[in-house]
């Protein structure tokens, strides 16, 4: 069902006028006649259609800017000094400049996901045709594309429909990016509104990418029992040839698995991945393995295990070719977005390419044909493995000790380390034969390599750290549930009511990258805490991997302990970065399936519903990329708060509520039309926490919503208070803002809380049927 | 002693903090201030200055200078464990955001602050917060007490060793009338 009634692509047309290539014809628009749902006010919203909604959100959650730089240097008028909110030569002030940078990041993120989706969809249309049907969960998932339905007003049925939706997304990104040009948008709140548009577009782009790959590659379809797959460095068999895949666009990795299958080589070669390609290849075949998150690239390469690297797109180290060279492993680049300076060998015969790679005549090649990548990678790995014999560049302990003795304690490494690791002290100890301090750094190191780039002695510091952690690294062997994709409609029916009344205390989604302040174990610890408390815990991307990298006393990792269904106490891995819309989608589906609201082109109403009723929070503890910025923006527009780790402060703008300003927290009671105080719930929309303890307390708090019933609010308050007491040693000082009726008070804490309420002069207030939209006030009441 | 940013890439813009090398500066600033506050991050428990924890120096400074403390993240617990009660608790993003608001009533209801000390936050987080305050908080003066130079503060102790930092604090506490 497409937006255009004629959409024609002709590869080559010979006519009297000559030869025309790649001709495309699109005429008119159609409405999906077969869909009875009434169309809402904003199908295919332009960049200003949802501006009023954005301003409502931004009034409550005002931006707080923390410039990374006092200057702007974006045009040749510059550099302009914008400090103290001064204006530059073009008239732009500091606030607007900061929001412009946020918009740039969100556009980069949205463009990246959308281009990824475009790449996939084009390739799949080429292979399967435009009419290939989409299927993300059969009859279990009737609302197959909640975000797309909500935004565009159409129900995509075929790959061809996705193509049409991509046209819309690409146009939006184009407009949004153009707004960052000098002399365009000048107001910070309007920039912020555009950030939210970019986030919304991004969610659709991701949803399309995942729908396409789930439908065409046979990934788990909304399956809570998706297979458990191997995770961790120790899961890789060092006796076998090993192919390492990194990135986000899975077709080349699928080419590898298919070739192995075709030649009966499964089991003779290990295919293991990092980052989202790893997620998606295990969704394709549970025989593939996940090494770990994105930040494990250097340590895995240097360990010498990979016999060939296959990189596709996004979050790949720009020095991967140089690093591969060091361990004598060839590299195949497989994405037009990441060619690494390599010769394009796509059209060359496989034998020649393999020969050149095996003989070392070339360090790497660019192959833009996923199937050819498959054959070249497998054959090269088989031939290279016996030659290089897992050649590694991790030093032996005795050499490490000798080198460490020569450290001149200049501190350069520490001052370059994003986490301020005390490397010089660890070097002193290492020089004396004690590696425990280096081993401790291994646990927290994010593998950036900055320390060694600055060492005046050119010590391979990161390799030292890996050596110190080697024993632990080899023991890293866990299980992760392969990404399940969408949430089933029946699951939503089951949890809809307890979520919107608050009896399931929240949906907590751990997403994003691995730029952690103190290692990935913090993520695992937070996840365990909330799964035990019977929140619904959802994971995706690198955070999903970190979630699995711990074991309990019985040797079980969290995915073995907690079920994969979307229910209280579940631990739900939806999949890779592009699977994130299943999380937003679940919130949207609660409005549609449980509350029977129309989704179709009805963004504002549904966002209002989600914001006021669905107690969902995103946590991107190691958020690093621009994609993480756009993913978060997509959640904000739906009114879902996002917490980032301390490094997330570098996104340089928070969206913070002020619970001390009572006037900010009024909602309409849709039953009466009265404006009533709804309390600061959720208190923030984008917030960087300093420590995991602070994050956990805030997660519990940000799950509260004005719509909670008294039983639900009591449950939510008891988690908030319990965590606060445990980590802060005190009662929170804001309970009076969250207790609306005496029946909101958790029964076991009654006396203590009533005493506090008395001191604060608290009075009972009504629990509204909350909305921020006057038009949602029921008609009868409106007439009064 | 150096007044280059501790994390070398974190270079400042056009406005850079004055290096704070003498405790007397703190005294003078305090004297001029009508409403100071000391913002304390979670690292005060992790950092040890030759046998005395940073938190214990902070308590001594706060007591001697009669400076109210706001503890960020979960650090309030450590103050309470030490039976130091006159401490408020608030996430650092909230403190920073409120410090840009001239209408804020303050943690004690006495209005917004004119002088804010910072200590014990992750370096890069404090850097950004001080940048936000430098650019958007009018009359607020900021002082970084970490001993890792923070270019976005009004005044910052330069990069000094933990021994030098300890000596600085001891001298400061004495001058403030503490022990
Ligand atoms: S875009 Fe504006 S503020 Fe930036 S350098 Fe150009 S004139 Fe200056
Ligand atoms: S590789 Fe690790 S230790 Fe080195 S700078 Fe990066 S995070 Fe710090
Ligand atoms: S940069 Fe190199 S020489 Fe300097 S302290 Fe670090 S390891 Fe030692």
């Amino acid at each position: 069902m497409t937006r255009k009634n004629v959409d024609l692509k002709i590869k080559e047309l010979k006519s009297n006028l000559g030869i025309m290539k790649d001709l495309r014809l699109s005429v008119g628009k159609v409405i999906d006649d077969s869909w009875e749902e009434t169309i809402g006010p904003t199908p295919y919203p332009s960049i200003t259609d949802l501006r009023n909604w954005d301003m409502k959100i931004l009034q409550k959650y005002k931006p707080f800017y923390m410039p990374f730089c006092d200057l702007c240097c974006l045009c040749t008028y510059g550099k302009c000094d914008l400090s103290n909110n001064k204006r530059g030569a073009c008239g732009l002030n500091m606030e607007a400049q900061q929001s412009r940078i946020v918009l740039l990041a969100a556009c980069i993120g949205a463009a990246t996901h959308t281009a990824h989706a475009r790449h996939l969809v084009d390739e799949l249309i080429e292979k399967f045709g435009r009419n290939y049907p989409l299927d993300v969960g059969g009859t279990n998932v009737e609302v197959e594309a909640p975000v797309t339905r909500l935004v565009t007003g159409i129900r995509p049925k075929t790959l061809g429909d996705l193509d049409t939706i991509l046209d819309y997304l690409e146009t939006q990104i184009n407009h949004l990016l153009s707004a960052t040009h000098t002399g365009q948008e000048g107001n910070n709140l309007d920039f912020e509104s555009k950030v939210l548009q970019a986030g919304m577009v991004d969610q659709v782009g991701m949803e399309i990418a995942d729908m396409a790959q789930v439908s065409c590659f046979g990934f788990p379809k909304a399956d809570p029992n998706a297979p458990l797959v191997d995770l961790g460095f120790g899961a890789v068999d060092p006796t076998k040839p090993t192919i390492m895949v990194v990135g986000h666009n899975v077709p080349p990795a699928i080419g590898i698995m298919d070739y192995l299958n075709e030649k009966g080589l499964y089991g003779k070669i290990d295919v293991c991945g990092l980052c989202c390609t790893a997620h998606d290849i295990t969704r394709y075949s549970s025989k593939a393995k996940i090494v770990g998150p994105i930040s494990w690239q250097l340590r895995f390469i240097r360990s010498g295990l990979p016999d060939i690297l296959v990189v596709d797109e996004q979050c790949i180290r720009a020095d991967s070719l140089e690093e591969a060279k060091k361990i004598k492993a060839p590299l195949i680049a497989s994405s037009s977005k990441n060619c690494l300076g390599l010769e394009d060998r796509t059209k060359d015969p496989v034998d020649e390419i393999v020969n050149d790679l095996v003989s070392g005549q070339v360090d790497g090649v660019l192959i833009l044909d996923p199937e050819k990548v498959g054959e070249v990678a497998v054959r090269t790995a088989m031939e290279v493995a016996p030659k290089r014999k897992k050649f590694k560049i991790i030093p032996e302990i005795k050499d490490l000790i000798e080198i460490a003795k020569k450290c001149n304690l200049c501190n350069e490494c520490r001052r370059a380390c994003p986490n301020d690791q005390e490397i010089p002290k660890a070097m002193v100890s290492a020089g004396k034969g004690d590696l425990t301090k280096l081993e401790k750094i291994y646990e927290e190191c994010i593998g950036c390599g900055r320390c060694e780039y600055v060492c005046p002695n050119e010590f391979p510091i990161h390799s030292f750290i890996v050596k110190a952690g080697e024993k632990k690294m080899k023991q890293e062997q866990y299980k992760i549930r392969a990404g399940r994709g969408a949430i089933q409609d029946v699951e939503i029916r089951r949890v809809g009511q307890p979520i919107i009344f608050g009896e399931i205390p929240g949906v907590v989604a751990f997403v994003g990258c691995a730029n952690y302040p103190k290692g990935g174990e913090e993520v695992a610890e937070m996840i365990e805490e909330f799964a035990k408390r019977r929140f619904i815990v959802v994971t995706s991307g690198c955070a999903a991997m970190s979630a699995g990298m711990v074991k309990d006393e019985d040797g079980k990792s969290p995915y073995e302990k907690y079920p994969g269904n979307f229910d209280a106490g579940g631990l739900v891995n939806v999949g890779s970065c592009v699977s994130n819309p299943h999380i937003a989608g679940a919130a949207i589906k609660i409005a549609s399936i449980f509350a029977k609201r129309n989704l179709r082109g009805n963004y504002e109403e549904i966002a209002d519903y989600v914001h006021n009723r669905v107690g969902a929070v995103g946590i991107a503890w190691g958020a690093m990329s621009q994609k993480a910025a756009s993913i978060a923006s997509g959640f904000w527009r739906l009114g879902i708060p996002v917490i980032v780790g301390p490094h997330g402060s570098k996104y340089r703008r928070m969206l913070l509520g002020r619970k001390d300003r009572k006037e900010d927290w009024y909602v309409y009671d849709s039953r009466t039309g009265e404006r009533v105080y709804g309390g600061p719930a959720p208190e923030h929309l984008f917030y960087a926490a300093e420590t995991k303890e602070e994050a956990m307390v805030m997660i519990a708090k940000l799950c509260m919503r004005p719509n909670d019933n008294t039983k639900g609010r009591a449950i939510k308050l008891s988690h908030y208070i319990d965590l606060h007491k445990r980590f802060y040693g005190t009662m929170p000082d804001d309970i009076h803002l969250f207790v609306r009726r005496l029946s909101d008070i958790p029964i076991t804490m009654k006396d203590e809380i009533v005493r506090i309420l008395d001191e604060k002069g608290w009075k009972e207030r009504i629990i509204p049927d909350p909305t921020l939209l006057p038009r949602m006030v029921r008609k009868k009441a409106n007439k009064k | 002693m150096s007044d280059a940013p501790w994390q070398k890439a974190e270079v400042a813009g056009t406005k850079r903090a004055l290096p704070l090398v003498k405790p007397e500066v703190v005294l003078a600033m305090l004297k001029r201030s009508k409403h100071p506050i000391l913002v304390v991050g979670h690292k005060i428990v992790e950092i040890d200055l030759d046998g005395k924890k940073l938190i214990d120096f902070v308590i001594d400074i706060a007591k001697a200078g009669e400076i109210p403390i706001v503890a960020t993240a979960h650090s309030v617990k450590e103050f309470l464990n030490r039976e130091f009660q006159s401490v408020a608790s608030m996430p650092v993003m909230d403190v920073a955001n409120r410090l840009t608001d001239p209408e804020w009533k303050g943690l004690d209801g006495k209005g917004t602050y004119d002088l804010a000390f910072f200590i014990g936050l992750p370096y890069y987080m404090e850097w950004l917060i001080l940048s936000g305050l430098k650019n958007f908080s009018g009359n607020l003066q900021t002082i970084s007490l970490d001993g890792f130079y923070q270019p976005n503060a009004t005044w910052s102790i330069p990069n000094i060793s933990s021994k030098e930092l300890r000596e600085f604090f001891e001298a400061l506490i004495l001058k403030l009338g503490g022990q």
Side-chain angles (χ1 to χ4, degrees), chain A residues 439-501:
Chain A
E439 197 183 338
K440 174 85 181 29
I441 294 177
Y442 170 82
E443 313 257 328
E444 297 184 2
C445 168
I446 52 145
C448 67
R450 271 176 15 188
C451 47
E452 56 183 54
Y453 299 134
V454 296
C455 176
N457 295 330
E458 296 182 15
F459 293 162
I461 302 171
H462 184 61
S463 298
F464 287 7
I465 294 168
V466 175
K467 182 69 199 176
E470 198 175 37
K471 209 166 130 214
K472 179 168 187 299
M473 185 166 82
K474 287 185 174 158
Q475 288 165 354
E476 287 169 2
Q477 218 171 334
Y478 314 94
K479 291 282 182 194
I480 178 172
R481 197 174 297 287
R484 60 167 281 176
I487 309 304
Q488 296 181 6
D489 297 3
V490 57
E491 291 175 289
I492 297 292
R493 265 180 219 114
R494 200 175 309 129
V495 299
Q497 178 158 344
I499 289 177
I500 70 143
F501 289 143

Side-chain angles (χ1 to χ4, degrees), chain A residues 145-273:
Chain A
V147 186
T148 304
R149 284 184 179 204
L150 178 66
V151 174
T152 65
I154 71 166
R155 292 181 300 182
K157 300 277 184 229
T158 63
L159 281 176
D161 292 342
L162 300 184
D163 178 35
T164 314
I165 300 162
L166 281 167
D167 289 349
Y168 160 73
L169 304 181
E170 287 155 352
T171 308
Q172 292 306 302
I173 294 167
N174 211 9
H175 284 308
L176 291 166
L177 185 59
S178 77
T180 65
H181 191 275
T182 302
Q184 296 256 49
E185 190 55 77
N187 177 276
N188 72 308
L189 290 184
D190 267 310
F191 272 121
E192 297 292 353
S193 162
K194 290 176 172 68
V195 169
L196 300 179
Q197 176 85 355
M200 182 195 73
V201 163
D202 183 56
Q203 290 275 339
V204 181
M206 290 188 289
E207 187 172 78
I208 286 181
D210 212 39
M211 286 182 81
Q213 58 181 10
V214 169
S215 303
C216 296
F217 297 142
F219 290 0
K221 294 186 194 307
D223 181 4
N225 299 313
L228 287 166
V229 296
D230 288 326
L231 166 71
F233 193 98
V236 182
D237 183 346
T239 64
K240 290 180 185 166
T242 304
I243 302 175
M244 163 183 171
V245 293
V246 202
H248 288 74
N249 190 29
V250 76
I254 286 182
I256 294 168
M257 295 311 280
D258 286 349
Y259 186 78
L260 287 175
N261 203 19
E262 192 189 310
K263 298 289 169 195
L265 291 169
Y266 255 167
K268 297 213 170 76
I269 286 190
D270 255 2
V271 178
C272 56

Side-chain angles (χ1 to χ4, degrees), chain A residues 295-351:
Chain A
S295 43
W296 266 230
Q297 280 179 84
L298 276 189
R299 65 172 72 162
F300 188 57
I301 297 174
R302 291 185 182 181
S303 75
L305 281 188
D307 292 300
I308 185 165
L309 275 73
V310 178
V311 303
D312 53 86
E313 60 174 88
Q314 303 164 43
C315 305
I316 293 154
R317 287 191 66 94
D319 56 1
S320 49
L321 183 61
E322 285 74 20
E323 288 291 330
K325 235 189 275 182
K326 288 184 196 160
I327 59 156
K328 302 180 182 169
L331 178 144
I332 301 175
S334 62
S335 163
S336 53
K337 291 170 200 109
N338 181 23
C339 302
L340 292 172
L342 294 166
E343 192 181 340
D344 184 354
R345 304 287 298 270
T346 311
K347 299 221 161 67
D348 289 359
V350 169
D351 287 348

Side-chain angles (χ1 to χ4, degrees), chain B:
Chain B
M1 197 176 290
S2 142
D3 61 353
W6 169 250
Q7 284 213 310
K8 283 203 155 180
E10 301 278 17
V11 288
T14 48
K15 267 173 82 180
R16 289 183 81 232
L18 295 161
L20 169 60
V21 282
K22 293 202 175 110
E24 286 80 1
V25 177
V26 177
L27 260 69
M29 300 281 286
L30 271 174
K31 213 166 161 193
R32 242 181 289 149
S33 164
K34 292 198 180 71
H35 202 195
I37 188 159
L38 174 48
V39 185
V40 180
H42 78 282
K43 287 168 80 90
I44 48 153
V45 196
E46 294 170 6
I47 297 171
D48 188 292
L49 299 181
D50 298 328
K52 184 168 168 181
K53 285 252 186 297
L54 201 50
I55 182 170
D56 296 313
F57 283 105
V58 166
I59 291 174
D60 290 347
I61 292 168
K63 279 185 183 162
E66 293 177 20
I67 314 169
I69 291 182
V70 57
T72 69
H74 58 292
S75 53
V76 62
K77 191 170 183 181
E78 288 301 322
F79 285 99
L80 301 177
N81 286 347
R82 282 164 163 75
E83 283 166 15
F84 183 80
Q85 300 288 344
S86 51
V87 53
S89 167
M90 190 179 260
V92 72
M93 281 302 156
D94 278 330
V95 179
N97 185 32
R98 282 161 171 72
L99 282 172
T100 61
D101 174 12
E103 310 278 298
W104 182 34
K105 306 246 175 348
L107 289 155
D108 49 11
K110 293 182 188 156
T112 196
Y113 299 88
D114 56 3
L115 177 64
F117 296 89
F118 285 83
I119 191 165
L121 290 160
Y123 181 81
Y124 52 91
M125 219 180 178
E126 187 170 319
W127 193 102
L128 281 153
I129 285 167
L130 288 167
S131 167
L133 297 176
K134 175 176 92 171
N135 282 292
F136 298 110
S137 69
N139 300 322
L140 180 75
Q141 307 260 334
T142 56
I143 299 183
S144 169
L145 294 175
D146 292 290
F148 297 107
Y149 180 70
Q150 283 285 0
N152 290 318
T154 318
W155 293 84
S156 172
I157 298 181
N159 302 320
I160 57 177
S161 67
S162 51
K163 183 169 165 282
E164 289 166 316
L165 188 61
R166 185 182 170 122
E167 285 163 8
F168 182 98
F169 286 151
E170 282 167 351
L172 173 64
I173 292 160
L174 273 180
K175 288 196 192 308
L176 287 169
Q179 325 200 321

